[in-house]
Amino acid sequence: GIQVEQSPPDLILQEGANSTLRCNFSDSVNNLQWFHQNPWGQLINLFYIPSGTKQNGRLSATTVATERYSLLYISSSQTTDSGVYFCAVDPVVSNQFYFGTGTSLTVIP
Amino acid sequence: NAGVTQTPKFRVLKTGQSMTLLCAQDMNHEYMYWYRQDPGMGLRLIHYSVGEGTTAKGEVPDGYNVSRLKKQNFLLGLESAAPSQTSVYFCASSMRDNYGYTFGSGTRLTVV
């Protein structure tokens, strides 16, 4: 099956810092999503981004499908950004999403 | 607008017992999904449904059954629980297959 690798696995930031999270995938995909799981376990959809760039406030995402990667940018990080960030991909030969193992982000004041 | 609601939120089962997890959505979404989340393994798809009366297997379907008798509800059943099914279970829904997911708040299941 498709391999979905996220890096870095863990990240600690000072409040106000910027960061880039990466998602690499091994096969062609139809779709890609980014999620944030907060410390209480709730999963929130951040972006649905099969290709191109999208922005939502301090967060933005870019997917380069031809090169099989996506990036999530977090600017001016806040303590509420802490949690685990997952990317999930929908391979061309499948009709279900496969999740990466996530990047655990801790933002310290 | 409640979104996706999962019940129960917590449950402890003994090995061999059965139970049903309920997922309800009020967004009129066609697609619904059941995932399990285990430490260090991300989320894995158990079963999914592309509409009322339909179900399909995901990545890890063994030991689980599902039903989608009504569009708004997706039930996940464990017929004979095993310790390996200790996990956090998430339900999600989407308008259709190329739209983003909305997740429920999860059910923490422990099988002893």
Side-chain angles (χ1 to χ4, degrees), chain A residues 2 19-20 48 96:
Chain A
I2 191 168
S19 62
T20 300
Y48 183 89
Q96 57 185 274

Side-chain angles (χ1 to χ4, degrees), chain B residues 17-92:
Chain B
Q17 287 185 319
S18 64
M19 78 163 294
T20 300
L21 282 67
L22 171 63
C23 176
Q25 54 95 4
D26 61 1
M27 297 171 287
N28 201 34
H29 284 176
E30 289 293 333
Y31 286 58
M32 297 186 75
Y33 315 85
W34 275 108
Y35 283 87
R36 62 177 288 173
Q37 183 177 27
D38 302 297
M41 299 189 72
L43 282 82
R44 293 180 293 168
L45 183 64
I46 304 171
H47 286 281
Y48 64 101
S49 169
V50 300
E52 180 178 319
T54 74
T55 63
K57 294 180 180 180
E59 188 181 358
V60 289
D62 293 343
Y64 305 94
N65 56 77
V66 288
S67 64
R68 183 105 180 262
L69 299 180
K70 294 183 178 181
K71 185 178 183 178
Q72 63 268 33
N73 296 336
F74 195 29
L75 278 64
L76 177 70
L78 286 73
E79 292 183 345
S80 179
S84 60
Q85 293 177 305
T86 293
S87 188
V88 180
Y89 292 85
F90 285 96
C91 176

Side-chain angles (χ1 to χ4, degrees), chain A residues 2-9 21-26 29 31-37 43 70 84-91 96-104, chain B residues 35-45 59 103:
Chain A
I2 191 168
Q3 301 301 310
V4 185
E5 297 180 352
Q6 292 187 242
S7 60
L21 283 58
R22 188 176 181 101
C23 173
N24 291 336
F25 39 96
S26 59
V29 300
N31 298 298
L32 186 144
Q33 302 186 65
W34 282 98
F35 296 91
H36 174 222
Q37 186 170 39
L43 282 153
S70 183
V84 181
Y85 290 81
F86 291 100
C87 73
V89 301
D90 174 20
Q96 57 185 274
F97 276 88
Y98 291 85
F99 281 72
T101 53
T103 291
S104 178
Chain B
Y35 283 87
R36 62 177 288 173
Q37 183 177 27
D38 302 297
M41 299 189 72
L43 282 82
R44 293 180 293 168
L45 183 64
E59 188 181 358
F103 275 96

